[in-house]
Structures are given as structure tokens and as C-alpha cells.
Amino acid sequence: MFAYILRRLLLIIPTLLGILLINFVIIQAAPGGPVDQAIAKLQGLDNSVAGRTGGGAGEVSSSSGNIKSRGAQGLDPEMIKALEKQYGFDKSMPERLWLMLKSYSQLDFGQSFFRDTKVTDLLLEKMPVSISLGLWSTLIIYLISIPLGIKKAISDGSRLDVWTSSIIIVGYAIPGFLFAILLIVLFAGGSYWQIFPMQGLVSENFDSLSLGGKILDYAHHMILPTICMSIGGFATLTILTKNSFLDEINKQYVMTARAKGLSESQVLYGHVFRNAMLIIIAGIPATLIGVFFTGSLLIENIFNLDGLGLLSLQSVLTRDYPVIFGSLFIFTLVGMLLKLLSDIAYVLVDPRIDFESRGN
């Protein structure tokens, strides 16, 4: 197993390089880079772009579209050259790529173009919000979906199975952001009841509250966004658990165990559970990545939660390339490490699995 882990860790390096290279090349074709936006701002054509800040290695980790745009007409060429140098575009594309990779190898992601903050500090600042959403959503999904999926498998075809399947299908069909709007209209003062706050992670007087008051205030704000984050994953995991258990229940070893006189609980949780959980364990990395880093984008925007999702959207809109590439690097690295942990968990759950013998 050690040799397999070592191979997987070494494989991370070329994978990261490939992903960064592909995205770096693609971004060259995207118009409206930071230089274009700075020129537009100077000419009063775009008031949405934040003021200029920046510096550091992140400046050379990005590329721009057509910086000789028509919007630059009438500006001093020296000013345009100064802008290009300021954002690192006075260097050739291969040189910018090399400087980016060199900086990233030292875990230096540079400084945001528009926030006057290091990318690392910015991500660390926003991460607690997304982790809060992801943590509670994942706990709710797994604590409810796995027992419910097992119950549905045991009572397959019953009224409980039919009714819960109908509710699950409806929940899965409703997009999380649409469900969020519905909850705001109903329970956050939109048109009916003002039971929950409409936005934010905590109240304005949070610092003056007692410890118990802070916990209650935090929970009060988290209820609606957590429900919205959980709805899609809840449906998927419940059906996956049910189908996995149904597949195992119908196998020969289960009938043999029952013929030996084992109780239903011993059969289900002593034999079926271990085998049925393998496919669920395999999906944990994708669930965590989706919930922590991507699934929260729209929810954070709707509830005005200042997390990674909102940061990602703003970075794309403002072409803040250091933040975009730094986020891509970190998320990809975390995703591959979680996938490796998933494989290790496979072996812990079922020692019969041997990745080394498969040459993976």
C-alpha cells in the first residue's frame, strides 16, 4: 500500500502541471483582461471594476486578452505600457507561465489584482464560511441519507419506499438556488414570515452576545443555506445507498448467512453493510469538493455569505487572475488528496482490496 500511495503522490505533480497549463492557455483567448478593464475604468466605461492594487508573483501568473483594444484609443501609449507592466503583461506568455509555475512550486500565489491582499490570505479569510456550509451540509446529508437508504432497501416497494422516493425525486429536481429563493420568500421576510435572517453568517451585534447567544445566532443564520446546500446531495446519496444495499442483499453470501441462522441485524450490519458502503466511500471526495468549493457558489451569492463561492464569482467577473489560478491550484490539489484518502478508506473498510496488485 505504501508503494501505491507514493505513486499517487508523485502523480499529483504532472496532473497539477497539466491542469494549470490547459487553463493558462485557455485564458489567453478570454477578452476583457485586467489591462482592458483598467483602461475602460480610466475612460469611464466600466465602473464595476475595483481600483488597482496588486503585485507579487500572482501578477505574472495570468494572461490578458487583446490589451490593444479599441478602448485604449486616445490614451497615452506610455500609460498603456505602464499598465501592462503593472499586471505582468510586458512579458511573453511562456515567461509568465514559467514564473507562475516557479512561484506556485514555493506555494506563493501572489497578490490579488483588485483587493490589495495576498491570494493565500484571501482564501484563508473566506474559507471558514464555505467550510461551515460544507461541513454541516455533509453531516446532514450522510446522517439522514444512509439510514434512510438502508430502510428503503429493507422495505423496497412499501408505502414508505414509494412516498420517500417521490419526495426525493421532487427535491432532486429543484435546483438549490431556486429552493433558496423559495425559502427566502416564505421564511425570511420575502413575502410571508420573518423567521430566519435573509443574509449574512451572523448578526451585526454578534460580538456583544454571550457564548450561548453566539452559537444560537450562528445556527439561526445557517439553517436556510444549509438546507439549500443539502437538498441535491441528500437525494443522490439516499438512492445510491438504497441501490447499493439492494444489490448486496440479493447476493448468494447473504442467503448463506441467513441459512446459518444469523439474525437480520447481523446479516445487514455484519455482512451487507461493509460491502454496500464501498461505493458510498468512493463518492466522498466528489461530495466534499462539490459541497465545499463549487456547490456553494450560488447559495453564497443568494444569502450574501462572504465565502469561496462568492469570491470565485467576483474574481471571474473582475478577471482577478491570481485569485482564479491560486484557487484552481489549491482546489485541484485538495481534490486529488481527498481521492487518495478515499482509496485508503477503501482498504480500511475491506482489506481484501489491494491496489498494488492491480498496478494502479
Side-chain angles (χ1 to χ4, degrees):
M1 188 65 181
F2 176 78
Y4 172 76
I5 294 175
L6 182 60
R7 287 198 301 270
R8 289 290 299 273
L9 290 175
L10 293 175
L11 186 62
I12 288 176
I13 298 175
T15 304
L16 275 173
L17 289 175
I19 291 174
L20 288 173
L21 177 60
I22 291 172
N23 283 272
F24 187 88
V25 172
I26 291 175
I27 209 71
Q28 308 301 312
V35 175
D36 289 319
Q37 296 203 30
I39 291 173
K41 183 176 178 63
L42 288 173
Q43 294 186 327
L45 300 177
D46 183 5
N47 294 323
S48 64
V49 180
R52 199 284 306 175
T53 60
E59 293 183 5
V60 296
S61 67
S62 55
S63 56
S64 175
N66 180 17
I67 59 177
K68 305 294 185 182
S69 60
R70 287 179 296 177
Q73 294 179 1
L75 288 181
D76 186 351
E78 293 299 323
M79 180 179 293
I80 297 177
K81 290 182 179 180
L83 287 174
E84 294 174 6
K85 184 176 181 180
Q86 172 185 310
Y87 291 109
F89 299 129
D90 56 327
K91 302 176 179 64
S92 65
M93 184 174 69
E95 187 177 0
R96 294 199 303 271
L97 177 60
W98 166 248
L99 289 173
M100 181 188 76
L101 296 178
K102 182 180 178 181
S103 299
Y104 282 18
S105 67
Q106 303 170 5
L107 298 182
D108 177 11
F109 304 110
Q111 190 161 329
S112 168
F113 283 157
F114 306 113
R115 294 174 183 264
D116 197 20
T117 307
K118 287 185 177 181
V119 173
T120 305
D121 294 339
L122 196 57
L123 293 176
L124 290 176
E125 177 188 344
K126 309 299 182 183
M127 193 171 291
V129 175
S130 296
I131 288 180
S132 294
L133 278 174
L135 177 63
W136 295 117
S137 301
T138 303
L139 284 175
I140 290 175
I141 289 171
Y142 276 82
L143 289 177
I144 295 178
S145 297
I146 292 178
L148 180 59
I150 295 173
K151 182 63 177 177
K152 286 171 62 64
I154 296 173
S155 57
D156 184 37
S158 65
R159 285 188 176 182
L160 173 66
D161 181 40
V162 173
W163 279 105
T164 53
S165 293
S166 300
I167 296 173
I168 287 171
I169 291 172
V170 172
Y172 185 76
I174 300 176
F177 72 91
L178 185 61
F179 194 62
I181 295 173
L182 175 63
L183 291 181
I184 289 175
V185 171
L186 292 177
F187 303 113
S191 298
Y192 295 91
W193 302 282
Q194 178 68 58
I195 301 176
F196 300 101
M198 184 178 296
Q199 60 182 1
L201 192 62
V202 294
S203 300
E204 293 182 358
N205 63 335
F206 180 80
D207 292 334
S208 63
L209 298 175
S210 63
L211 178 60
K214 289 180 178 180
I215 294 174
L216 290 176
D217 182 73
Y218 169 77
H220 193 213
H221 283 77
M222 287 295 295
I223 289 176
L224 292 187
T226 300
I227 291 174
C228 297
M229 289 278 290
S230 304
I231 193 72
F234 170 76
T236 302
L237 186 61
T238 301
I239 298 299
L240 179 63
T241 303
K242 175 191 173 182
N243 292 338
S244 180
F245 266 78
L246 279 178
D247 184 56
E248 293 296 325
I249 287 173
N250 295 322
K251 289 185 177 179
Q252 182 66 40
Y253 75 89
V254 175
M255 292 185 285
T256 302
R258 287 171 175 164
K260 290 181 177 180
L262 296 180
S263 66
E264 194 66 18
S265 295
Q266 289 176 316
V267 172
L268 286 175
Y269 299 104
H271 294 76
V272 174
F273 184 81
R274 185 179 67 178
N275 295 323
M277 287 299 293
L278 287 175
I279 190 172
I280 297 171
I281 290 173
I284 290 178
T287 301
L288 292 176
I289 291 295
V291 171
F292 283 5
F293 303 126
T294 59
S296 62
L297 192 152
L298 291 175
I299 302 301
E300 287 182 11
N301 276 272
I302 291 172
F303 289 99
N304 195 26
L305 301 175
D306 195 12
L308 293 174
L310 186 59
L311 174 65
S312 299
L313 179 62
Q314 292 173 345
S315 300
V316 171
L317 293 177
T318 59
R319 303 299 195 271
D320 198 343
Y321 294 143
V323 178
I324 295 173
F325 280 105
S327 302
L328 176 67
F329 181 91
I330 293 174
F331 295 168
T332 303
L333 179 61
V334 171
M336 289 188 289
L337 291 176
L338 286 175
K339 180 59 179 174
L340 176 59
L341 290 177
S342 173
D343 291 342
I344 295 174
Y346 256 131
V347 177
L348 294 177
V349 173
D350 190 348
R352 296 172 298 176
I353 295 177
D354 185 3
F355 288 108
E356 292 188 34
S357 63
R358 301 183 182 188
N360 292 329

